[in-house]
Amino acid sequence: MNKILLHIEGLAVLVLSLYFYGYGEFSWLLFFVLLLAPDISMLGYLINNKIGARVYNLFHTYTIVIIVIFCGVLFENQTVLAIGLIWSAHIGMDRMFGYGLKYPTDFKDNHLNRV
């Protein structure tokens, strides 16, 4: 049941991110270009699993995204806000599909399941 709730939570974050992105009338081209950008963090796995998990998790937690979105709103910077919304949509999409925060044991081990 907890896994299902986490998948639903991911869907909710994705839908809300898409809604606010559309409401802000940001560029959909920018959205599709940057949607998978946080996955560049997987390059940390080229060093080892421990570093890879830390870097991947840094780019796939909501904390930094919330700070980015907050800064975009606070400083009225539309580009920063758009990037934050794209980033949150990416994380929500990952969670919806079952890709969670990584454990240092193996890339496939995450807090939602073994992919």
Side-chain angles (χ1 to χ4, degrees):
M1 182 65 177
N2 288 336
K3 281 187 189 181
I4 293 170
L5 288 175
L6 290 172
H7 290 282
I8 292 170
E9 176 188 64
L11 174 63
V13 170
L14 173 61
V15 169
L16 283 171
S17 298
L18 289 171
Y19 172 78
F20 285 115
Y21 195 85
Y23 183 81
E25 298 180 356
F26 300 118
S27 165
W28 288 104
L29 177 62
L30 179 67
F31 182 88
F32 290 111
V33 167
L34 294 181
L35 182 60
L36 298 178
D39 284 339
I40 293 172
S41 63
M42 286 188 279
L43 291 174
Y45 280 94
L46 293 174
I47 299 170
N48 63 44
N49 285 345
K50 187 175 181 181
I51 298 290
R54 284 185 179 172
V55 173
Y56 182 91
N57 290 344
L58 180 67
F59 282 85
H60 286 82
T61 58
Y62 291 118
T63 306
I64 295 174
V65 172
I66 291 168
I67 292 169
V68 170
I69 291 171
F70 180 75
C71 287
V73 171
L74 182 66
F75 298 114
E76 298 179 4
N77 187 319
Q78 298 300 305
T79 304
V80 172
L81 179 56
I83 289 170
L85 289 170
I86 295 167
W87 198 349
S88 67
H90 172 88
I91 295 171
M93 181 180 66
D94 274 3
R95 297 290 194 284
M96 181 182 72
F97 289 127
Y99 297 101
L101 298 174
K102 305 296 184 190
Y103 293 122
T105 52
D106 187 72
F107 178 76
K108 295 179 181 182
D109 295 335
N110 68 68
H111 83 285
L112 293 177
N113 62 2
R114 183 166 171 85
V115 179

